[in-house]
Amino acid sequence: AQSVTQLGSHVSVSEGALVLLRCNYSSSVPPYLFWYVQYPNQGLQLLLKYTTGATLVKGINGFEAEFKKSETSFHLTKPSAHMSDAAEYFCAVKGPNSGYALNFGKGTSLLVTP
Amino acid sequence: DGGITQSPKYLFRKEGQNVTLSCEQNLNHDAMYWYRQDPGQGLRLIYYSQIVNDFQKGDIAEGYSVSREKKESFPLTVTSAQKNPTAFYLCASSTLGQGSSNQPQHFGDGTRLSIL
């Protein structure tokens, strides 16, 4: 079964600093990978997705992620954090099992300090 | 605008009571999903449906039931058999078919269920 692991349940950065949220995947086939963001008491909003092709994926709000097959990683980055980036971030993988449902990591809570 | 509507936003359940969470989408998506979110555990799949009048159990289906009588609607019932129902419930939908397996799921804003 395809799965993802997010390293670090909480990450704290200063405003203006680099944001790095880690995600490693386990898959025997090329995966479809996604990053979602969740603000308190809201649903999930898609940040970006990797399917095939370019390994550097650009998303909304200045976020991007790089697919590294050799490291089975799909880490999310943003060069300069804003206070508004404080939220919960989820990495997810989609596979043919369970009707193409998403398998989520446990999430990383991003705190941005002034 | 197209999207997914979940209602109510907050719901309280008494002991021994069944409650139903509504999920409606106007995206013309074939597939719909229910997830349960608990702090620190990510989202876990409860049920999913790929076509009207058909649905499948996910990883944590015990104590829940669903129906799919219309393409647009996928209500979730939390039964009295679910002993720990307090959680945030999210409904999602996506397209199916050739070339759609890489498409993202769209989510509603969730329903927070608590026990009285």
Side-chain angles (χ1 to χ4, degrees), chain A residues 75-97:
Chain A
H75 301 333
L76 182 72
T77 61
K78 182 174 180 178
S80 177
H82 295 172
M83 297 297 290
S84 60
D85 293 327
E88 188 89 13
Y89 292 81
F90 291 96
C91 181
V93 63
K94 192 177 191 182
N97 297 327

Side-chain angles (χ1 to χ4, degrees), chain B residues 39-58:
Chain B
Q41 295 197 42
L43 281 73
R44 293 179 290 168
L45 181 66
I46 305 173
Y47 268 98
Y48 65 95
S49 169
Q50 295 178 284
I51 193 171
V52 172
N53 293 323
D54 186 55
F55 45 83
Q56 306 297 327
K57 292 181 179 180

Side-chain angles (χ1 to χ4, degrees), chain B residues 13 60-65 77-82:
Chain B
R13 196 192 87 170
I60 56 166
E62 185 175 352
Y64 301 96
S65 65
T77 296
V78 183
T79 74
S80 57
Q82 172 50 246

Side-chain angles (χ1 to χ4, degrees), chain B residues 101-115:
Chain B
S101 56
N102 60 359
Q103 294 304 305
Q105 291 183 6
H106 298 256
F107 284 82
D109 282 338
T111 293
R112 187 166 297 281
L113 176 62
S114 302
I115 297 298

Side-chain angles (χ1 to χ4, degrees), chain B residues 1-52:
Chain B
D1 286 338
I4 299 177
T5 301
Q6 289 188 242
S7 63
K9 191 168 180 66
Y10 298 95
L11 187 59
F12 297 91
R13 196 192 87 170
K14 296 179 181 179
E15 292 288 339
Q17 184 182 43
N18 294 351
V19 293
T20 297
L21 286 61
S22 171
C23 177
E24 303 278 334
Q25 55 101 357
N26 61 4
L27 298 166
N28 198 32
H29 285 168
D30 292 304
M32 297 187 74
Y33 309 83
W34 274 105
Y35 295 91
R36 169 176 171 146
Q37 184 178 14
D38 296 281
Q41 295 197 42
L43 281 73
R44 293 179 290 168
L45 181 66
I46 305 173
Y47 268 98
Y48 65 95
S49 169
Q50 295 178 284
I51 193 171
V52 172

Side-chain angles (χ1 to χ4, degrees), chain A residues 66-82:
Chain A
E66 186 173 9
F67 175 75
K68 291 187 176 181
K69 185 177 179 180
S70 60
E71 299 177 6
T72 61
S73 69
F74 190 56
H75 301 333
L76 182 72
T77 61
K78 182 174 180 178
S80 177
H82 295 172

